[in-house]
Amino acid sequence: MATFLYKLGRLSFRRRHFVALIWVALLTLAGVGAASAPAAGNSSFSIPGTEAQKAFDLLEQRFPGTSADGATARVVFKAPSGEKMTDPGNKATVKETVKELSDGSEVVRVTDPYQAKAVSKDGTIAYAQVSYKVSGMELDDAAKDALKDTAQDAREAGLTVEIGGDALQAVPHTGSSEIIGIAVAAVVLVITFGSLVAAGLPLLTALIGVGIGVSAITGLASALDLGSTTSTLAMMIGLAVGIDYALFIVSRYRAELAEGREREEAAGRAVGTAGSAVVFAGLTVVIALVGLSVVNIPMLTKMGVAAAGTVAIAVLIALTMIPALLGYAGRKVRPMGEKGKLLGRTSKKPGRPNLGTRWASFVVRRPVAVLLLGVIGLGAAAVPATSLELGLPDDGSQPTSTTQRRAYDLLSEGFGPGFNGPLMVVVDAKDSDDPKAAFAETGDEIKGLKDVVTVTPAQPNKAGDTATITVIPGSKPSSVTTENLVHGIRDAGADIKAGTDANVLVTGSTAMNIDVSEKLNDALVPYLVLVVGLAFLLLIVVFRSILVPLKAALGFLLSVMAALGAVVAVFQWGWLSGLMGVEQTGPVMSMMPIFMVGVVFGLAMDYEVFLVTRMREAYVHGEKPAQAVVTGFRHGARVVTAAAVIMMAVFAGFIGSSESMVKMIGFGLAIAVFFDAFVVRMAIVPAVLALLGRKAWWLPRWLDRALPNVDVEGEGLRTASGDDGDRELVRV
């Protein structure tokens, strides 16, 4: 592989005009496609195989034309202090509001609070429900403005009015902190390279790669039903890996220049060596992201595949456009250690080891102490993960400044905490001899269960073979008590089926959230086996070792558990929540653990490949194991540190997002990179390798013969050029 990439690097350097033209053309084409593509609607959220999804699909069949997936708005009214919603003046205001709400062309129906008995027992709170033909993301701006204006008119009449539901759903924004993350990355690159030109290359190529990836996602969003979070995730990961991959190749190029090679030769060797590590690091990220498809949640699959595509683009750009731009830069990119005009840096004094060398030498001398300190520290950070609670966000998790959250609180105050998470029970009595009796028996059974506040009468369809029953729990939607109630209804449904031949299904957003959490929990172990197993095999090929990939996988588990612990501490317990902009604590998003496992594993293997390949390169060239560790840090520690800081800055930039899922992912990935890069890869890895010695690079001879030789260390390049003719190839 190194020989092929070496030739690709030299070709890109020589044919830089052609290479640059290709990438600019692709960026332009993707941009035009995104601009001309139809606007994407709200991404459908389906969970194949779950009972909640089966019930939803049944409703679509048996209750046609009801717009089951249309947007809804709950307009909540509260009377002034000392008054009731049933007072004539307040009642007249609500009646007028309901009339105005019914005028919209996209409105299907509006419920009158007084006819629907949607007034609280104390008479102070009431609500009207507005149902629309289209989803919240597809709802016309004029309809949203009309909804807000009508509510404002009622406020001016003296009532407190708030709007809940998904009718006011907006495309999330990431805020200025995303720009700050990129700015931090730029500063780190300038400090690392001491040159604006060298620092600008990784940023430029990363932005081009992300531009192509996100534009392609935007262009295909309508056709493939991609949500807004998909492009945000692709941007987040694409920026981080794009900058890092380019950083490693530019750094290796400068190192090759420092050894006296011509610029074209240096570009070829940089792509042949560091580029090989980029390819395998990118492969591990792609495997982890595409592997999310085993969960069988379409939204998660699309997010993973789209982000993987952006990572693949980042790899290709690093291998081709970076050497092309190095050709344009010429002497403006200086050899490593040469004086730079920007920061006035000079070469290090001969014989003085750099910080990476000094740190690695310390770890090699004290491996047990460093290993114990790192493991105990990560173990302590992982402790909060033992109280992990999973759920999906609703209006109760929104900031208190939003009307959706205030409406949620008013409904809880007037009708109880469970009112915000009603359960919809669907009774399929098509095979029953007496559907009406089946409907009645189902309602009676549910009334006898714990934590049930209200059970509405069954509402049959026109055919009379299917009915819906609304159940109001006594507890809030995200509570364990409500989860137990859902399972209790489903258990009772088995007895009802035995007596009436009617199927009882539970759906609604609360039941869907419960099913999602359970599905994700069930998929976590198979996903780990698949992704870690494939990456383990890949790393065996890269490092030609059994223990090094095993150590890499175990280190990843430590870092991801510690990162999950930090997520629980901030988003569930509320530690430092003000600093992170978390206004409402609650359960961690259901897909967060499995998503973090996938993404963090891929990113963790980046640093493993970049750092340890340098160590293996030194080892196969004849150095002793301990010295190879120090050599790897001398060449790679500074660059890996810069790459980690850049990746943390990019991920942390998304903490400013208005969408709780993006905020949580940004924080989780940033802290995971910190744990993995600075604790696992910089401390635990060299300590373990120092303790293992030559055993770290052991590989059975039969397996050594069976594995393909991918030559990540660039051995073929050295042999072909005769650079290292007296090199001793280590065999163990």
Side-chain angles (χ1 to χ4, degrees), residues 161-185:
V161 185
E162 304 296 345
I163 306 170
D166 61 352
L168 296 183
Q169 184 177 1
V171 177
H173 61 274
T174 54
S176 60
S177 55
E178 177 188 346
I179 306 301
I180 295 174
I182 297 176
V184 171

Side-chain angles (χ1 to χ4, degrees), residues 614-632 634-635 694 697 727-728 730:
R614 273 288 195 166
M615 299 178 189
R616 174 166 176 79
E617 185 176 345
Y619 177 71
V620 300
H621 293 157
E623 292 187 8
K624 293 181 179 180
Q627 183 57 40
V629 171
V630 176
T631 300
R634 181 171 68 248
H635 291 296
R694 292 183 179 275
W697 307 106
R727 175 192 55 82
E728 176 191 357
V730 177

Side-chain angles (χ1 to χ4, degrees), residues 89-311:
N90 294 333
K91 193 171 184 178
T93 300
V94 172
K95 290 281 188 182
E96 181 61 27
T97 301
V98 169
K99 181 180 178 182
E100 291 181 18
L101 290 171
S102 304
D103 292 339
S105 60
E106 294 181 318
V107 175
V108 176
R109 61 184 175 276
V110 181
T111 60
D112 186 314
Y114 304 102
Q115 295 179 2
K117 299 181 180 179
V119 181
S120 62
K121 289 183 179 180
D122 62 4
T124 60
I125 296 174
Y127 73 91
Q129 181 153 314
V130 187
S131 299
Y132 293 90
K133 298 177 182 178
V134 296
S135 64
M137 293 295 286
E138 297 171 319
L139 196 60
D140 189 79
D141 288 339
K144 295 180 180 181
D145 292 340
L147 179 62
K148 295 175 185 177
D149 293 343
T150 303
Q152 184 59 36
D153 292 341
R155 290 190 188 102
E156 293 174 357
L159 298 176
T160 298
V161 185
E162 304 296 345
I163 306 170
D166 61 352
L168 296 183
Q169 184 177 1
V171 177
H173 61 274
T174 54
S176 60
S177 55
E178 177 188 346
I179 306 301
I180 295 174
I182 297 176
V184 171
V187 172
V188 173
L189 287 169
V190 170
I191 294 174
T192 301
F193 292 135
S195 164
L196 286 175
V197 174
L201 296 183
L203 281 176
L204 177 61
T205 54
L207 290 173
I208 290 175
V210 167
I212 294 173
V214 173
S215 295
I217 291 170
T218 304
L220 297 173
S222 178
L224 300 182
D225 191 26
L226 304 178
S228 58
T229 308
T230 304
S231 58
T232 304
L233 174 66
M235 181 188 301
M236 183 190 304
I237 296 179
L239 271 176
V241 301
I243 294 173
D244 278 7
Y245 294 166
L247 167 64
F248 280 101
I249 291 179
V250 173
S251 297
R252 188 60 182 253
Y253 171 76
R254 297 177 69 234
E256 296 292 338
L257 288 179
E259 293 184 10
R261 293 189 172 88
E262 293 296 327
R263 293 187 177 273
E264 182 179 329
E265 177 69 12
R269 285 180 171 271
V271 176
T273 51
S276 297
V278 165
V279 170
F280 282 98
L283 275 175
T284 59
V285 179
V286 169
I287 288 172
L289 291 170
V290 174
L292 290 170
S293 58
V294 303
V295 184
N296 197 26
I297 295 180
M299 184 185 75
L300 198 58
T301 299
K302 293 171 185 176
M303 288 170 61
V305 172
T310 307
V311 171

Side-chain angles (χ1 to χ4, degrees), residues 429-492:
K430 192 172 184 179
D431 298 329
S432 176
D433 295 333
D434 190 351
K436 291 184 178 179
F439 301 155
E441 183 177 340
T442 302
D444 293 340
E445 286 285 340
I446 295 173
K447 289 177 182 177
L449 298 176
K450 294 181 180 179
D451 200 49
V452 173
V453 174
T454 304
V455 179
T456 65
Q459 301 292 323
N461 62 350
K462 291 182 179 180
D465 58 3
T466 307
T468 60
I469 300 173
T470 301
V471 180
I472 306 298
S475 304
K476 63 181 182 179
S478 58
S479 67
V480 176
T481 307
T482 301
E483 182 178 346
N484 292 335
L485 175 59
V486 170
H487 291 301
I489 296 174
R490 289 172 174 170
D491 292 340

Side-chain angles (χ1 to χ4, degrees), residues 4-153:
F4 169 77
L5 293 178
Y6 165 76
K7 293 178 180 178
L8 178 64
R10 293 195 62 168
L11 178 65
S12 299
F13 188 94
R14 287 197 308 271
R15 305 295 185 187
R16 46 187 172 272
H17 303 309
F18 180 68
V19 172
L21 182 62
I22 288 177
W23 285 112
V24 171
L26 288 175
L27 178 61
T28 304
L29 184 63
V32 171
S36 59
N42 189 27
S43 179
S44 60
F45 187 77
S46 62
I47 313 295
T50 61
E51 180 173 316
Q53 186 64 46
K54 292 177 182 176
F56 183 82
D57 294 340
L58 185 65
L59 287 174
E60 291 286 322
Q61 297 173 8
R62 305 286 175 85
F63 291 83
T66 56
S67 300
D69 59 346
T72 59
R74 277 181 171 178
V75 182
V76 188
F77 307 90
K78 184 175 182 178
S81 179
E83 298 183 17
K84 303 279 188 181
M85 288 305 304
T86 51
D87 292 348
N90 294 333
K91 193 171 184 178
T93 300
V94 172
K95 290 281 188 182
E96 181 61 27
T97 301
V98 169
K99 181 180 178 182
E100 291 181 18
L101 290 171
S102 304
D103 292 339
S105 60
E106 294 181 318
V107 175
V108 176
R109 61 184 175 276
V110 181
T111 60
D112 186 314
Y114 304 102
Q115 295 179 2
K117 299 181 180 179
V119 181
S120 62
K121 289 183 179 180
D122 62 4
T124 60
I125 296 174
Y127 73 91
Q129 181 153 314
V130 187
S131 299
Y132 293 90
K133 298 177 182 178
V134 296
S135 64
M137 293 295 286
E138 297 171 319
L139 196 60
D140 189 79
D141 288 339
K144 295 180 180 181
D145 292 340
L147 179 62
K148 295 175 185 177
D149 293 343
T150 303
Q152 184 59 36
D153 292 341

Side-chain angles (χ1 to χ4, degrees), residues 280-499:
F280 282 98
L283 275 175
T284 59
V285 179
V286 169
I287 288 172
L289 291 170
V290 174
L292 290 170
S293 58
V294 303
V295 184
N296 197 26
I297 295 180
M299 184 185 75
L300 198 58
T301 299
K302 293 171 185 176
M303 288 170 61
V305 172
T310 307
V311 171
I313 293 172
V315 171
L316 292 174
I317 283 185
L319 297 178
T320 57
M321 195 167 185
I322 282 293
L325 293 179
L326 289 172
Y328 284 117
R331 297 187 179 279
K332 293 180 181 179
V333 177
R334 299 174 178 272
M336 186 173 291
E338 186 175 307
K339 182 178 179 180
K341 293 181 180 179
L342 183 63
L343 299 178
R345 298 189 309 174
T346 58
S347 302
K348 293 185 179 2
K349 294 180 180 179
R352 182 183 179 184
N354 60 20
L355 181 60
T357 302
R358 297 197 298 272
W359 168 250
S361 299
F362 169 78
V363 174
V364 168
R365 290 196 305 270
R366 300 284 188 272
V368 175
V370 172
L371 178 61
L372 289 177
L373 186 62
V375 171
I376 292 172
L378 290 179
V383 168
T386 58
S387 62
L388 175 68
E389 296 178 8
L390 299 177
L392 288 178
D394 54 19
D395 284 348
S397 62
Q398 298 222 29
T400 52
S401 59
T402 62
T403 186
Q404 292 95 328
R405 171 61 188 278
R406 292 195 292 264
Y408 180 97
D409 292 340
L410 284 176
L411 289 172
S412 295
E413 176 188 341
F415 301 93
F419 194 79
N420 284 293
L423 305 175
M424 180 177 288
V425 178
V426 181
V427 185
D428 179 9
K430 192 172 184 179
D431 298 329
S432 176
D433 295 333
D434 190 351
K436 291 184 178 179
F439 301 155
E441 183 177 340
T442 302
D444 293 340
E445 286 285 340
I446 295 173
K447 289 177 182 177
L449 298 176
K450 294 181 180 179
D451 200 49
V452 173
V453 174
T454 304
V455 179
T456 65
Q459 301 292 323
N461 62 350
K462 291 182 179 180
D465 58 3
T466 307
T468 60
I469 300 173
T470 301
V471 180
I472 306 298
S475 304
K476 63 181 182 179
S478 58
S479 67
V480 176
T481 307
T482 301
E483 182 178 346
N484 292 335
L485 175 59
V486 170
H487 291 301
I489 296 174
R490 289 172 174 170
D491 292 340
D495 297 331
I496 295 171
K497 180 175 177 59

